[in-house]
Amino acid sequence: IGALIVWLRNALAHVGLRRWASKARPGLALAWEATLRRVGSDAGFGRHLRVLESDHTTSPCTWGLVRPVVLLPTAGADWPEPQRRFALLHELAHVRRLDYLTMQIASLACAVHWYNPLVWLAAVQARKLQEQACDDVVLNAGETPSDYAQFLVGIAGARRLSLEIPPAVGMVERSQLHGRVTAILDATRVRGPL
C-alpha cells in the first residue's frame, strides 16, 4: 500500500504536467525566444527538447527523458534579459545532466523502500545536489552570484504551490532556498565539474 501511494502520487503529478504542457502556448514570446537562441548557442546545446510557455507556473521547470520539456512562466517574458538567462541556463543544465532520470530512479527507490526514512533522506539529498550543480553551471557562465541569488528568492516568493509539480525538476524549492543561496554567495566554493 505504501509503494502504491508513492507511485500514485507520481503518476498523478505526471498527468498534471502533461495537462500543463497541452495547455501551454504554442509559441514562445519573442523575449524568451531570443534568450533561448543566445543561451542555446553559447552552451552548445544540441539536444532536441520542447520549450513551452505556460500561465500555470511561476517558476521554470523541466521533465522528460527522451523528449524533454522545459516549461517557462508566461510572466517571465517580462523579466530582464539576465533573469531569463539565469532560468534557461539552470533548466538546460538539468536536461543535460539527465536529472529527470535520476529523480525517477530516486522515486522508484522511495516507492520500493517507502518504509525506510534513510531512502527518503537520500532522495532529498540527491535533489539538493542536483540544484547546486545547476546553480554552479549558471555561475560558471559568468553570472553574478548576488544577482542570481536575488532572482531565486524572488521566484520563491512568487511561486504557487502545487501537488502537480513533484516529478518536474523545478528551479526553486522553498525548503532548500537558504542552503542554495548560502552556497551561491560562498566565494570560496569550488564550482568546477566533478
Side-chain angles (χ1 to χ4, degrees):
I1 291 173
L4 184 62
I5 290 171
V6 174
W7 272 107
L8 184 60
R9 179 177 178 260
N10 198 19
L12 290 174
H14 275 88
V15 168
L17 289 171
R18 287 189 184 276
R19 190 173 52 226
W20 283 4
S22 69
K23 292 181 180 179
R25 294 185 179 177
L28 288 177
L30 294 176
W32 275 123
E33 202 169 301
T35 306
L36 179 61
R37 254 193 320 274
R38 281 190 287 280
V39 168
S41 65
D42 291 349
F45 198 84
R47 190 163 172 210
H48 180 68
L49 72 150
R50 292 180 4 183
V51 182
L52 305 171
E53 210 173 329
S54 174
D55 294 325
H56 293 12
T57 184
T58 56
S59 173
C61 62
T62 185
W63 72 91
L65 186 61
V66 176
R67 193 168 176 217
V69 175
V70 175
L71 192 65
L72 302 170
T74 303
D78 296 332
W79 295 345
E81 168 73 18
Q83 292 184 353
R84 289 192 309 271
R85 182 174 162 79
F86 295 155
L88 286 170
L89 282 169
H90 185 94
E91 295 308 315
L92 292 178
H94 278 302
V95 173
R96 182 178 288 119
R97 291 172 30 84
L98 302 176
D99 285 343
Y100 175 79
L101 175 63
T102 57
M103 278 183 56
Q104 293 309 303
I105 292 170
S107 179
L108 173 65
C110 289
V112 172
H113 298 281
W114 60 269
Y115 52 86
N116 188 343
L118 295 178
V119 173
W120 289 91
L121 288 173
V124 168
Q125 185 63 26
R127 180 87 173 109
K128 285 180 185 177
L129 293 173
Q130 286 176 345
E131 292 303 322
Q132 286 179 0
C134 292
D135 290 342
D136 289 347
V137 168
V138 173
L139 296 174
N140 285 335
E143 305 301 337
T144 307
S146 58
D147 291 343
Y148 181 53
Q150 186 175 11
F151 171 66
L152 291 178
V153 170
I155 285 182
R159 183 166 176 211
R160 293 184 295 245
L161 296 178
S162 172
L163 294 175
E164 297 178 351
I165 202 77
V169 185
M171 189 164 183
V172 176
E173 285 188 28
R174 290 179 185 163
S175 62
Q176 298 176 5
L177 189 60
H178 180 268
R180 284 180 66 190
V181 168
T182 302
I184 288 167
L185 296 175
D186 184 359
T188 63
R189 187 177 173 88
V190 177
R191 301 192 187 283
L194 291 176

